[in-house]
Every structure is written in C-alpha cells, then in structure tokens.
Amino acid sequence: MDKNDKDYKKILIGKRIAKELSDGDFVNLGIGLPTEVANHIPKGINVYFQSENGIMGVGPAPNSGDEDPEMINAGGGFITAISGSAFIDSAMSFAIIRGGHLDMTVLGALQVDQKGNLANWWIPGKFVPGMGGAMDLVSGAKKVVVAMEHCDKNGNSKILQECTLPLTAVGKVNLIVTDMAVMKIEKDKFRLLEIAEGYTIDDIQKATEADLIIEGEIKNFGVN
C-alpha cells in the first residue's frame, strides 16, 4: 500500500499504538482514527474498551445489517459488547474517567506541542457542539496517547513548539504516534523513538516544527 494512502496510515498508526496495550487494561478510544487500535490487539492480551456514554467492554463494530440502534459509542458509531461488559450511566462513566481508573486514553489531535499540550477540539470560526469528554479523558487517564497525521492537509506540521489553537489540556500528553514517527515528551522536547517505514530522520525533521531529541537507536515500525 502507498504510505500516503489514508487506509494505510490508519492501519499503521492503529497497529503501533496497540503495542502499548497491556493485559487487563481499561482503555478509552476517541472517535475516528483511534478506533483502529481495537482491530490490532496483540494475541494473549485482554483489553476492556470504555465509551464515555456508559459502556465498559466495547466490542468490534457489527457486521453490516446487524447494527443495533441502541448500541452506539460516544461518537454515534455502531458497536457490539464483549462478554462480561457493563452498562452504566454517564455519571458513573465519568466518575471512572475523572477518578483515574483508565489506564490509557487514545485521542486524535489538531496540534500537539513539545510541552505536552493538546489541542483537539476547536478550530476558531468553525462550529462544534462542545469539547465532549476529551478534557476529562486527558486529565484523568494514567497514560495519554495521541493518534494523528504528522502534517495537516496543507502540509503544515501538527507537531509544534507551541500550540496555536485552543487547548484541551496542558502538559498531559505522553506519547504521540503519527504516520511518520513515534515520539514522547521529554524535557520540553519531542524525543524521536521510531520512524515509519519509507521515511528518514531528515524527513521527520523537515515535517516537525518542534524541537527534537535524536539520539541512540531509532527503530522502524510498519504495518507488518
């Protein structure tokens, strides 16, 4: 597949983030790109996915024709439930989030900066119904992973020295996985950990506005 293909990028990012999962984790997946993570759970790993509208134990999307209008995630997408799942009200669901009981949350982003700040809910001038549960999830989860494309549709870096869009949370991001690289926040900079197949360190530097720490072994990751 072409590395610029949308489906390729989605699978690439989803498979890499899935490697961060541990057996028994409670994980919230944001709408869109983050949901791909659920399709690549490593063998021998049991993970419990939460949807903030009140489900703990979200299963895969149903087959076409098997959709149940009463079984949806927080983004309105059709879902199934695994054996042993729990259905709770929104108050309990957000108590789980705010109480620090989620091991990980995976969210999309418009921008991330080198201080771990996240902007993922609003572009000024565009209508949005609200921030949703993102603010609570980023503040309450033990680990925050951002799943995003490295650059926007105009080729501008989304990995910045400082976010220019309204923030969702300050200093909460731990790991960023893009279609080009895996990075973590360290000393108010991005440490480059891995590079996607088909790219070079020079490519990452050119596509990243933020300050990078590049040292030690830099591994490659791909869809295989």
Side-chain angles (χ1 to χ4, degrees):
M1 295 177 68
D2 185 344
K3 68 181 182 181
N4 295 312
D5 181 80
K6 283 282 187 182
D7 288 336
Y8 176 86
K9 292 179 181 181
K10 185 176 181 179
I11 294 170
L12 176 75
I13 295 169
K15 289 189 74 170
R16 178 55 188 84
I17 293 176
K19 293 181 179 180
E20 299 295 313
L21 300 172
S22 298
D23 191 43
D25 275 353
F26 290 94
V27 180
N28 182 284
L29 299 179
I31 61 175
L33 178 57
T35 61
E36 181 68 20
V37 176
N39 297 326
H40 306 285
I41 302 172
K43 291 183 179 180
I45 297 293
N46 291 308
V47 179
Y48 302 90
F49 292 113
Q50 185 233 21
S51 184
E52 58 266 34
N53 58 325
I55 305 169
M56 183 64 79
V58 175
N63 294 322
S64 180
D66 293 334
E67 298 90 349
D68 182 340
E70 294 187 356
M71 289 289 291
I72 60 172
N73 60 24
F78 291 112
I79 58 171
T80 59
I82 64 172
S83 177
S85 59
F87 295 82
I88 54 182
D89 63 23
S90 292
M92 176 64 75
S93 186
F94 274 86
I96 290 171
I97 295 169
R98 295 167 180 165
H101 303 292
L102 290 181
D103 296 291
M104 184 190 303
T105 186
V106 183
L107 304 94
L110 297 167
Q111 296 176 341
V112 179
D113 71 28
Q114 60 196 47
K115 293 185 178 180
N117 299 329
L118 168 70
N120 82 334
W121 75 282
W122 184 42
I123 297 175
K126 291 193 175 184
F127 173 77
V128 291
M131 189 178 289
M135 178 175 63
D136 299 276
L137 286 162
V138 176
S139 298
K142 296 172 185 175
K143 182 174 183 178
V144 175
V145 180
V146 170
M148 63 190 293
E149 291 191 26
H150 208 95
C151 299
D152 65 21
K153 61 182 179 181
N154 296 316
N156 300 311
S157 181
K158 296 165 68 174
I159 313 294
L160 308 175
Q161 291 184 344
E162 185 174 353
C163 290
T164 59
L165 295 174
L167 296 182
T168 305
V170 175
K172 294 295 185 178
V173 176
N174 302 116
L175 189 74
I176 305 95
V177 180
T178 78
D179 55 314
M180 296 180 70
V182 179
M183 297 169 287
K184 69 176 182 179
I185 307 295
E186 185 177 303
K187 300 177 180 177
D188 286 344
K189 295 181 180 180
F190 286 97
R191 175 176 285 278
L192 181 62
L193 302 176
E194 300 176 24
I195 298 175
E197 292 177 351
Y199 292 101
T200 66
I201 290 178
D202 188 52
D203 292 329
I204 307 304
Q205 290 177 312
K206 289 179 179 178
T208 306
E209 190 239 54
D211 297 323
L212 287 172
I213 299 173
I214 303 174
E215 58 186 25
E217 181 183 9
I218 308 296
K219 299 180 180 180
N220 289 110
F221 71 104
V223 297
N224 297 319

